[in-house]
Amino acid sequence: MPELPEVQHAADSLGIQIAGARIATVERLDWPRMVETPAPEEFIVRLAGREIRGWGRRAKWILLELDGGWTLALHLRMSGSLTVHPADTEPDRHTHLVLRLTDGRQIFFHDTRKFGRARLLDAAGLAMLNDAHGDEPLSEAFTVERLAGLLRGRQRAIKPLLLDQSLIAGIGNIYADEALWCARIHPLHPAAELSTEAIADLHAGIRAVLRQALANGGSTLRDYRNSYGARGTNQDHFHAYDREGQPCPRCGTMIVKTVVAQRGTHYCPACQRR
DNA sequence: CATTACCTGCAA
DNA sequence: TTGCAGGTAATG
């Protein structure tokens, strides 16, 4: 579900509520597969008593910086959400991890589809997570030249390349389609064959769609909520994604939906031709 | 590169 | 009942 803008909002809305708080206990881990490292029993023991010192985001991971050099990394995958609740709120059946704070409040990791994941990482583990991911597309370092370098020599289609987290981190199916619409690029265009001008438009498009989504609190198709339980509104501003059969806002041609890289893919067949 | 798997719920 | 969903990893 969540891509960079949604994960950023999830992290910020959570972090602002809980920074400085301390985890008392880990409760209700009824789907232990969600804990990737360390073993669930050790995860529970090590988290107890940790202070939450800060927060951040890397790719689609939410990072809670803890004392003792530990980082709690949380990935929402398709349907996860993190919300903060008073002491007496009962979790529902899709809440698979609860962090009880020493002030009584609870953080719920709610995840209908159970794809979400948690890792408790030391400095080396955090470095590995970092190294596994590519450029942050909103960073200063992500220049047009950087993007051109990433595309150079790669014959694969541009859309699956945009989804490859090891190259560019944080873009998912929505914002890949939206960025390609912005840049008037066909999702199957070979990455290495994009013109200099098209690459510049793609760079601008990626940043514009992510910034707009951030400004709108992310996109909520179904499950996404920030940590206050609020939906985003960016789904009301899509140009191509989820708009099959509706007119392209630029040229009026019907948006079509196909499958590219095993993902539903929406584009304008008239003005996305390069 | 394509296919399958992981899960549940919802719309067609 | 089937197919599909914002993600990723593990297979041929």
Side-chain angles (χ1 to χ4, degrees), chain A residues 15-58:
Chain A
I16 208 160
Q17 294 184 79
I18 63 161
R22 190 176 291 275
I23 298 169
T25 52
V26 176
E27 300 174 6
R28 194 185 164 120
L29 183 52
D30 66 355
W31 184 251
R33 288 184 60 175
M34 77 184 299
V35 178
E36 292 185 326
T37 186
E41 311 77 50
E42 188 183 339
F43 177 86
I44 290 169
V45 170
R46 287 203 182 279
L47 269 178
R50 301 250 90 93
E51 182 186 346
I52 300 163
R53 295 232 165 119
W55 74 90
R57 177 195 58 77
R58 172 68 173 122

Side-chain angles (χ1 to χ4, degrees), chain A residues 47-70:
Chain A
L47 269 178
R50 301 250 90 93
E51 182 186 346
I52 300 163
R53 295 232 165 119
W55 74 90
R57 177 195 58 77
R58 172 68 173 122
K60 297 173 189 171
W61 287 90
I62 293 165
L63 304 176
L64 297 183
E65 181 196 335
L66 309 175
D67 60 32
W70 295 98

Side-chain angles (χ1 to χ4, degrees), chain A residues 134-183:
Chain A
D135 286 13
E136 284 291 335
L138 294 179
S139 69
E140 297 254 333
F142 186 68
T143 58
V144 176
E145 295 70 34
R146 262 305 277 179
L147 176 58
L150 290 174
L151 305 186
R152 197 166 299 134
R154 298 186 202 266
Q155 278 303 123
R156 57 199 293 218
I158 186 62
K159 171 156 177 178
L161 189 147
L162 292 177
L163 295 174
D164 186 336
Q165 302 299 298
S166 72
L167 299 177
I168 306 172
I171 299 174
N173 206 36
I174 293 177
Y175 302 111
D177 282 3
E178 289 294 305
L180 290 169
W181 180 88
C182 274

Side-chain angles (χ1 to χ4, degrees), chain A residues 159 188 257-267:
Chain A
K159 171 156 177 178
L188 287 173
K257 182 179 182 185
T258 59
V259 175
V260 173
Q262 293 69 244
R263 310 299 301 276
T265 296
H266 316 73
Y267 67 100

